[in-house]
Amino acid sequence: MSIRMLPYYLRLATKSLLATPGLTLLTLVALGLGIAVPTASLSIRHVFGQDPFPEKSDRLFNVRLDNWETESEFFGPAGEPPKHITYQDMVRVRELTPEIPSTGIGAASIFLFPPDESLRPYQVLTRLCHSDFFSMFNAPFTYGDAWSEESDRNPDHVAVLSHEGNQKLFGGQDSVGKKIRLGEQEFEVVGVLAPWRPTPQIYDTVNNPYGTVREIFVPFEHVLDDALGLQRATSDDAFGSRPQGGTLRETYMAWELNWIQFWAELAPSELALYRQTVDDYSLAQKELGRFPRPLNNRVQPLMGWLEEQAIQRGAGPGTDALVIVSVLFLLVCCLNLTGLLLAKFLARSGILGIHRALGAPMRSIFMQRLVECVLVATAGGVLGAILAGGALRLLDQTAPDRFLRPGIFSLDSYSLVAALVLALGAGLLSGVYPAWRACRIAPAIQLKVQ
Amino acid sequence: MPMLYMNDVVKSYRTDLVQTRALDHVSLEIEAGEFVSVSGPSGSGKTTFLNVTGLLDTFDEGTYQLDGVDVSRLGDLEQSRIRNQKIGFVFQGFNLIPDLDIFDNVDVPLRYRGLSSKERKRRIDEGLERVGLGGRKHHLPSQLSGGQQQRVAIARALAGEPKLILADEPTGNLDSATAYEIMELLETVNEAGTTILMVTHDPGCAAHAHRQVHLLDGRLIDVREEAVPTLNLSQLPRVDESATAATA
Amino acid sequence: MKHSIHIGPLLRSMMRNKTRVLLLTVEIAVTVAVALNCSAMILQQLEVLRRDTGIAENELIGVEVRPWAADYQDFQYRQRIAREDLAAIRAMPGVRNATIINTFPLQGGGSSSLAGPLGSPREEWIRTPVYSADPQVFDTLGLEIVEGRGFRETDIPTEPGPYIANVVVTRDFADALFPEGNAIGQSIDTGGGEEYPDVIVGIVGHMFTPYGGGPMETRITFFPRLPSSTQRSQYLVRAEPGAVDQVYASLTQTFVNVEPRRAVALRTMDEIKAGGYIQNNLMVDIYTVVVLLLLFVTALGIFGITAYSVTQRTKQIGTRRALGAPKQAILHYFLAESTLVSLIGLGLGLIGAYGLNVLLVNHAGAPKLDPVLVLVGSLSLWMLGLLATWAPAQRASRLSPALATRTV
């Protein structure tokens, strides 16, 4: 019966809303804001708290080794090993586990010399990584593919461009096989990525969690090429001093400079053995006089690592507070809505009384009023979604691109669903009591004022 | 079987301090097709009587059968259905719903009856023609004169083809010429077979009825049995009509 | 007294409108709780943002220079270019001073080291942000030497590698290292050991740089050096007041004139600082908007509900007027009612505020509530309630006494 009456109830609700335009506007604004604030903060939180690789986040592990000295505390959360590892440890652990896909992550800046000699060279941020990086993190290719493991070892002068990098350098064309000049050496483009915005940029949560994807990826070993002029652009921690003399390789193989994020892809069955290998390696290094502290290594699943990073940066708890505040904000708006609807229904009790006299049962009045609430809520939800979209856009524009990539905050499907659910929930929650009061209005044969 | 049968109906209002008996052992029988007027001074219990009769309010004691159905024990759903199908209301203040146009006002009881849209349209058109307002279907009540509004109200009451029309001072807000027209209209409706129970204190209106009953201090006096006592307004007990309003 | 508000009838009237009063009370309570906590968080961030850095922020431009020429592999060449750069900048009209420095202050983080008095156990060393710069750094940043001396040209090492440095530290760091106040002339160890100790030759007043929190942010050390690497040099240029734009416009050309084989990027200190304070700025923006909207919505709610209550009581008000109540009395009645509702709401809200505060302090690093803030916040909310009530109450007071006799 109710379903058949629904169109009629909608009509009555519309008439009722239009009959009190001022109040309806008041309600809509209040509710729209009530929806907008939590919607915006939920999507902000979503950006900071989402699982970027739900399909394989349980197989990606961040690996850290505690090589720190005993004389000083590592500059970071107490009890945690350094957030980065050294070049020498990365190389040796990779040698010990040749079957395990793994990659170091480093960032460096390098000069790019445009083909047109009249243009001034400019500095680009380059991602240093191993060939496994692309498959491990599901990087999508538009053209070409990742470089080979052999290219890792040599290292070959090959590069993968991000979508943005390819747009900038080659206007978006298929640039595979073309050359780019980095630090006055020629690199061949072997692959071009599709637009790819892992959020957060999990493989580099320390330096660039929410910024733009680097334009150029090159094999990690190029870091040893003195002539290339690569400059590390990551946060790093070191104790002792930089080994003097020798080649760059010799320097890096002896330097206690923690600057590389290291990731491994492990099946559940491989995890225990891998942990053992890493710990055995640390113990072996102790024999050589390194790793003076008690064993404190981490092979940490992606989400655990992200949470720890977020907490360290304050993003996690910051957005938690925002969500708590937003929920209370919505509560205030719901109370408002209840008050306004109640006032309205009671002010119009005469009309409801006539409906009752003309044969409307209580449940019908209840449903009518609830339909009105849901109608207001839906309109408020739409308004809220628009406002939230505007707020997120504004936030997106104000936030510096260097730290928060453009478009990171937007009204995505997640926010839309959130707005809709919140609106309907708020409408029903706020409407039930006024609707119940309305349906208990006695049938009347007088339109009463007072 | 009478259309309306009331026996010893009692209805009291209680406040913390006083108990007022608004209906004091009221008994009344109305046959189908009758046109009965109820009159009485302000505060005599007319409104309560009409509310109880129209299933708009409950009563404390006694029996009330409408069209052979004992209505005192029915739930809200059944009572609403009886109001919707068997009773038509005509109010003093017309009580059209201001947001709805004429057509939609007449439509209200038909909607609750769940009629098809074709059937509803037929009945509304027919009803509005009958009261001479076929051409104003999409006017809002505020755009009509008092007499026209009351005609709409009558059309609305008739559209459901009720067995009983309850009219509450149907001419109270109208000038005498219009009032006369409305009474003529009600008479026509009555002649077509619909029972009418009309509350009024206007003797002119009451004269249109076949039978007149009087209410005084919540007690019913049928003129078939007794003469109407003369009223002394200053002696009237202060039974507060707004008591019903307060519960609304 | 012409008319007075009697609490009794007011309370009884409120009891008859339980739902309305309850809704308003709870609404005000939640608003108080949320607004106070948000304000506390905003103030906490503002305090960080407004913290005196001791630096002439408004007059500084940061320059990042990245050379690609092979000549830069040579230490002496780098040093020569750095000196030429500095001389050229200082000769520019509108420039007060310039310095070459290893990292920009206020960018958030930087370079830091552990340090302690020479010979003290390393476990007792404390962390200090470290800046390496040429002798003009103090005047460029706007720091004053309060004890000892600044850097001299002779303090700058002529060869790469470790050296015995004459360092300048902030007052806070000097006091942390040498609580007796005898820091000048003391040797400290910043990792060079007995072989390469550092000697404190001067102390500057207050300086603050954001570095993840904690006391180290004001415990700063300056090393005398021309920090120019093979890949990057950074300069800070202090313009005369009002000349920042003029200097900004011609700075790049000055660098290119000295040595063209370099990329030059300029940022004002405001831009550099925005990076260091990005999270603080975001929090302040977001929470300010939330609090303002919350107050707006609550005011709307109070306004709407009061307006309807006036409509519903039209006849009652008309009757009062007919019975001789002056306009003022009606106005005061509604304002008194609003105050009473606000008071109850505030009472509940303060309990809620402290409850929410415990939650936020434990889970979100929020600050504890400050009693002054609570007082100011409560008064503001009361005023907000009165303000929102004012318009409908005014309307009520203007209702005609004739309404008393009108039935519909």
Side-chain angles (χ1 to χ4, degrees):
Chain A
M1 160 211 149
S2 309
I3 292 298
R4 210 159 50 85
M5 293 297 272
L6 194 63
Y8 187 52
Y9 292 170
L10 276 170
R11 231 162 86 82
L12 288 177
T14 315
K15 299 256 181 200
S16 164
L17 290 174
L18 293 178
T20 53
L23 184 72
T24 303
L25 195 70
L26 206 69
T27 317
L28 277 183
V29 171
L31 190 60
L33 290 172
I35 301 299
V37 168
T39 300
S41 38
L42 278 176
S43 33
I44 291 172
R45 189 172 191 282
H46 181 63
V47 167
F48 289 116
Q50 65 187 337
D51 180 347
F53 288 111
E55 65 275 21
K56 67 189 294 190
S57 59
D58 56 335
R59 278 182 291 150
L60 291 171
F61 290 83
N62 178 266
V63 182
R64 285 177 289 162
L65 288 84
D66 193 346
N67 65 324
W68 209 252
E69 61 175 352
T70 45
E71 287 86 353
S72 70
E73 276 307 316
F74 169 68
F75 182 45
E80 284 297 309
K83 52 189 178 288
H84 289 139
I85 67 169
T86 62
Y87 177 81
Q88 49 175 326
D89 292 327
M90 173 185 79
V91 168
R92 296 202 195 98
V93 169
R94 272 175 63 83
E95 274 167 10
L96 286 170
T97 57
E99 302 302 316
I100 302 291
S102 67
T103 182
I105 302 283
S109 60
I110 191 167
F111 268 101
L112 189 137
F113 292 80
D116 180 351
E117 304 241 336
S118 66
L119 296 177
R120 288 174 63 79
Y122 60 93
Q123 196 113 22
V124 287
L125 279 170
T126 306
R127 173 76 57 206
L128 302 170
C129 60
H130 292 97
S131 57
D132 288 336
F133 167 83
F134 301 97
S135 59
M136 283 173 71
F137 290 102
N138 287 357
F141 278 88
T142 308
Y143 306 116
D145 210 339
W147 59 77
S148 65
E149 280 183 41
E150 204 190 325
S151 296
D152 272 337
R153 284 190 295 272
N154 289 339
D156 289 334
H157 284 65
V158 288
V160 167
L161 300 182
S162 71
H163 174 77
E164 292 79 0
N166 194 49
Q167 286 291 336
K168 200 156 144 188
L169 291 170
F170 296 102
Q173 290 174 331
D174 182 355
S175 56
V176 171
K178 298 205 167 145
K179 308 280 192 204
I180 51 174
R181 275 168 67 218
L182 297 174
E184 300 207 88
Q185 297 181 16
E186 288 216 318
F187 280 70
E188 184 185 333
V189 177
V190 294
V192 174
L193 296 182
W196 186 44
R197 291 181 157 179
T199 306
Q201 200 151 261
I202 24 121
Y203 50 84
D204 192 7
T205 49
V206 177
N207 299 299
N208 187 28
Y210 301 106
T212 40
V213 173
R214 305 287 194 225
E215 290 169 4
I216 299 175
F217 299 77
V218 297
F220 206 108
E221 296 300 304
H222 284 296
V223 74
L224 302 181
D225 184 353
D226 222 350
L228 199 54
L230 270 173
Q231 190 195 356
R232 283 180 287 103
T234 61
S235 93
D236 54 40
D237 297 280
F239 60 89
S241 51
R242 176 181 172 145
Q244 299 295 316
T247 62
L248 206 49
R249 170 179 295 276
E250 283 160 351
T251 302
Y252 270 117
M253 286 307 281
W255 198 359
E256 297 291 1
L257 174 76
N258 295 60
W259 66 286
I260 301 167
Q261 286 176 62
F262 189 56
W263 291 87
E265 183 177 337
L266 300 167
S269 58
E270 296 167 325
L271 181 58
L273 182 62
Y274 191 86
R275 282 205 164 109
Q276 192 58 50
T277 310
V278 169
D279 285 348
D280 286 348
Y281 166 74
S282 295
L283 294 172
Q285 289 291 307
K286 276 177 185 290
E287 301 288 314
L288 301 170
R290 295 183 67 222
F291 287 72
R293 290 173 173 250
L295 212 55
N296 186 26
N297 298 328
R298 297 279 188 282
V299 179
Q300 194 173 26
L302 185 144
M303 287 312 284
W305 162 248
L306 278 188
E307 266 160 44
E308 198 183 296
Q309 286 294 297
I311 285 163
Q312 211 177 316
R313 276 196 321 276
T319 53
D320 279 352
L322 191 61
V323 169
I324 294 175
V325 163
S326 303
V327 168
L328 291 172
F329 188 97
L330 181 60
L331 177 66
V332 169
C333 291
C334 284
L335 289 169
N336 253 335
L337 190 60
T338 304
L340 293 174
L341 288 171
L342 194 63
K344 170 170 186 174
F345 292 166
L346 296 184
R348 287 165 62 85
S349 62
I351 289 172
L352 299 178
I354 296 172
H355 275 276
R356 293 278 283 130
L358 294 176
M362 281 164 75
R363 67 167 70 158
S364 169
I365 299 288
F366 181 77
M367 288 306 294
Q368 280 176 30
R369 295 308 102 190
L370 215 54
V371 165
E372 185 172 336
C373 300
V374 170
L375 194 65
V376 174
T378 311
V382 171
L383 183 66
I386 294 170
L387 288 174
L392 288 172
R393 217 187 146 121
L394 200 69
L395 187 65
D396 204 55
Q397 280 168 359
T398 5
D401 292 350
R402 231 174 115 201
F403 303 98
L404 298 164
R405 66 168 166 79
I408 192 167
F409 299 121
S410 62
L411 194 68
D412 51 12
S413 52
Y414 174 86
S415 329
L416 279 173
V417 171
L420 195 72
V421 170
L422 286 173
L424 289 180
L428 286 174
L429 198 72
S430 321
V432 167
Y433 179 69
W436 182 73
R437 283 284 297 267
C439 82
R440 294 195 9 128
I441 288 166
I445 52 174
Q446 287 281 358
L447 256 184
K448 281 182 287 279
V449 174
Q450 291 289 305
Chain B
M1 189 175 53
M3 172 56 63
L4 181 149
Y5 172 77
M6 253 184 210
N7 190 27
D8 272 344
V9 168
V10 174
K11 168 79 179 172
S12 305
Y13 293 113
R14 267 176 219 90
T15 67
D16 292 343
L17 301 173
V18 288
Q19 175 173 345
T20 319
R21 193 160 276 183
L23 294 181
D24 191 358
H25 296 281
V26 167
S27 299
L28 182 66
E29 259 184 61
I30 298 176
E31 297 300 327
E34 267 198 281
F35 190 158
V36 178
S37 82
V38 181
S39 55
S42 187
S44 58
K46 289 198 304 278
T47 305
T48 309
F49 174 71
L50 207 64
N51 280 344
V52 168
T53 314
L55 309 190
L56 301 173
D57 205 347
T58 55
F59 54 95
D60 306 328
E61 293 170 33
T63 319
Y64 174 22
Q65 290 174 0
L66 187 67
D67 197 20
V69 180
D70 185 345
V71 295
S72 56
R73 283 187 235 304
L74 296 180
D76 174 67
L77 208 58
E78 288 85 359
Q79 288 202 352
S80 297
R81 195 161 62 226
I82 289 175
R83 279 202 299 274
N84 182 251
Q85 299 186 357
K86 294 193 175 169
I87 304 175
F89 290 95
V90 178
F91 308 104
Q92 174 180 9
F94 324 132
N95 289 1
L96 300 178
I97 294 167
D99 325 333
L100 303 181
D101 65 20
I102 304 311
F103 185 93
D104 284 342
N105 260 288
V106 181
D107 193 26
V108 172
L110 304 180
R111 286 279 189 170
Y112 291 120
R113 193 179 285 198
L115 296 176
S116 73
S117 86
K118 220 171 93 185
E119 174 67 8
R120 283 188 281 113
K121 191 171 176 334
R122 186 186 66 75
R123 288 201 189 196
I124 298 164
D125 288 341
E126 216 175 85
L128 286 173
E129 283 308 328
R130 196 166 161 191
V131 299
L133 287 169
R136 309 219 165 178
K137 278 190 276 188
H138 297 297
H139 284 57
L140 285 174
S142 55
Q143 294 167 309
L144 300 183
S145 71
Q148 286 170 325
Q149 288 192 42
Q150 195 58 299
R151 284 163 189 273
V152 176
I154 291 171
R156 183 172 69 183
L158 292 176
E161 292 172 358
K163 297 198 165 170
L164 172 68
I165 285 197
L166 289 176
D168 180 20
E169 303 279 10
T171 60
N173 287 358
L174 301 175
D175 62 69
S176 57
T178 318
Y180 188 76
E181 282 173 31
I182 293 295
M183 288 316 299
E184 295 269 271
L185 184 57
L186 284 177
E187 270 190 333
T188 321
V189 169
N190 178 242
E191 278 156 20
T194 311
T195 314
I196 297 183
L197 178 61
M198 178 176 69
V199 167
T200 183
H201 61 250
D202 176 358
C205 282
H208 287 264
H210 304 162
R211 178 153 67 106
Q212 300 182 15
V213 293
H214 293 273
L215 264 173
L216 186 63
D217 296 353
R219 281 191 296 275
L220 197 72
I221 303 144
D222 202 322
V223 285
R224 284 191 297 202
E225 294 151 22
E226 290 175 40
V228 187
T230 46
L231 299 173
N232 184 341
L233 284 171
S234 64
Q235 290 174 349
L236 287 174
R238 284 200 46 200
V239 178
D240 192 356
E241 268 193 85
S242 66
T244 49
T247 58
Chain C
M1 187 178 285
K2 278 180 292 181
H3 54 266
S4 56
I5 300 297
H6 298 286
I7 280 290
L10 196 59
L11 279 176
R12 281 195 291 281
S13 156
M14 282 167 64
M15 284 305 290
R16 279 195 298 276
N17 295 290
K18 277 197 267 319
T19 317
R20 180 164 56 84
V21 172
L22 189 73
L23 282 171
L24 280 175
T25 314
V26 175
E27 181 174 339
I28 292 171
V30 177
T31 302
V32 174
V34 174
L36 284 178
N37 278 287
C38 286
S39 305
M41 287 193 271
I42 293 170
L43 289 178
Q44 183 193 35
Q45 298 302 324
L46 281 181
E47 206 177 290
V48 175
L49 285 172
R50 298 232 175 101
R51 198 161 168 181
D52 177 21
T53 58
I55 293 172
E57 293 171 38
N58 300 329
E59 295 161 20
L60 289 173
I61 303 167
V63 188
E64 210 173 329
V65 178
R66 294 169 187 271
W68 63 80
D71 297 342
Y72 267 83
Q73 300 297 331
D74 175 26
F75 175 78
Q76 297 303 342
Y77 183 78
R78 296 200 300 267
Q79 298 288 297
R80 183 167 67 76
I81 293 296
R83 287 180 203 282
E84 284 178 26
D85 282 338
L86 288 170
I89 302 165
R90 288 171 190 148
M92 284 171 68
V95 169
R96 169 166 167 170
N97 212 334
T99 189
I100 182 167
I101 193 163
N102 64 330
T103 2
F104 295 137
L106 310 191
Q107 68 173 10
S111 182
S112 72
S113 173
L114 285 166
L118 192 65
S120 64
R122 290 196 65 175
E123 293 75 34
E124 292 170 14
W125 287 12
I126 49 182
R127 193 163 278 278
T128 171
V130 169
Y131 293 97
S132 302
D134 76 294
Q136 294 305 313
V137 63
F138 305 111
D139 182 55
T140 307
L141 288 176
L143 298 174
E144 201 186 331
I145 302 288
V146 292
E147 213 182 316
R149 63 167 176 89
F151 292 145
R152 295 177 186 141
E153 281 300 320
T154 51
D155 293 329
I156 295 174
T158 50
E159 295 297 328
Y163 63 111
I164 296 173
N166 291 329
V167 298
V168 170
V169 297
T170 55
R171 175 97 264 162
D172 277 358
F173 191 40
D175 290 346
L177 288 172
F178 303 100
E180 289 94 54
N182 54 345
I184 295 287
Q186 298 275 6
S187 290
I188 60 169
D189 188 346
T190 57
E194 295 285 341
E195 204 179 341
Y196 296 108
D198 307 301
V199 182
I200 298 175
V201 295
I203 294 172
V204 288
H206 171 76
M207 176 177 164
F208 166 80
T209 190
Y211 212 127
M216 69 178 273
E217 293 179 325
T218 58
R219 295 173 174 173
I220 298 165
T221 309
F222 289 90
F223 283 83
R225 206 188 319 170
L226 300 183
S228 180
S229 79
T230 52
Q231 286 139 356
R232 185 172 71 157
S233 321
Q234 296 185 107
Y235 298 81
L236 276 173
V237 181
R238 182 173 179 187
E240 299 289 354
V244 174
D245 292 342
Q246 175 204 338
V247 172
Y248 192 96
S250 46
L251 254 181
T252 303
Q253 196 52 50
T254 307
F255 279 93
V256 173
N257 288 347
V258 173
E259 156 64 274
R261 296 168 299 171
R262 302 186 288 183
V264 181
L266 304 183
R267 275 188 291 165
T268 63
M269 190 43 107
D270 279 346
E271 287 166 335
I272 294 169
K273 198 177 171 183
Y277 291 86
I278 173 173
Q279 200 141 350
N280 313 72
N281 276 320
L282 262 177
M283 265 186 84
V284 169
D285 290 353
I286 292 176
Y287 282 104
T288 306
V289 170
V290 169
V291 169
L292 289 179
L293 288 181
L294 181 66
L295 295 179
F296 175 67
V297 162
T298 303
L300 270 192
I302 296 174
F303 168 80
I305 293 172
T306 314
Y308 259 73
S309 129
V310 169
T311 314
Q312 277 185 300
R313 289 193 264 182
T314 302
K315 190 170 176 185
Q316 186 194 329
I317 295 161
T319 310
R320 275 166 186 266
R321 296 274 288 120
L323 293 175
K327 286 184 178 185
Q328 290 283 308
I330 304 291
L331 185 67
H332 289 182
Y333 174 84
F334 277 97
L335 294 182
E337 191 186 73
S338 162
T339 300
L340 211 56
V341 170
S342 290
L343 280 181
I344 304 170
L346 283 171
L348 287 174
L350 291 185
I351 299 170
Y354 281 100
L356 180 63
N357 192 238
V358 170
L359 185 75
L360 290 177
V361 167
N362 289 340
H363 293 279
K368 288 218 164 100
L369 287 177
D370 172 13
V372 177
L373 172 73
V374 169
L375 191 70
V376 172
S378 305
L379 283 175
S380 314
L381 252 131
W382 175 45
M383 294 311 291
L384 185 80
L386 287 183
L387 214 66
T389 315
W390 188 263
Q394 274 282 334
R395 197 161 58 83
S397 73
R398 293 210 194 93
L399 286 174
S400 157
L403 284 169
T405 55
R406 211 171 292 169
T407 48
V408 174

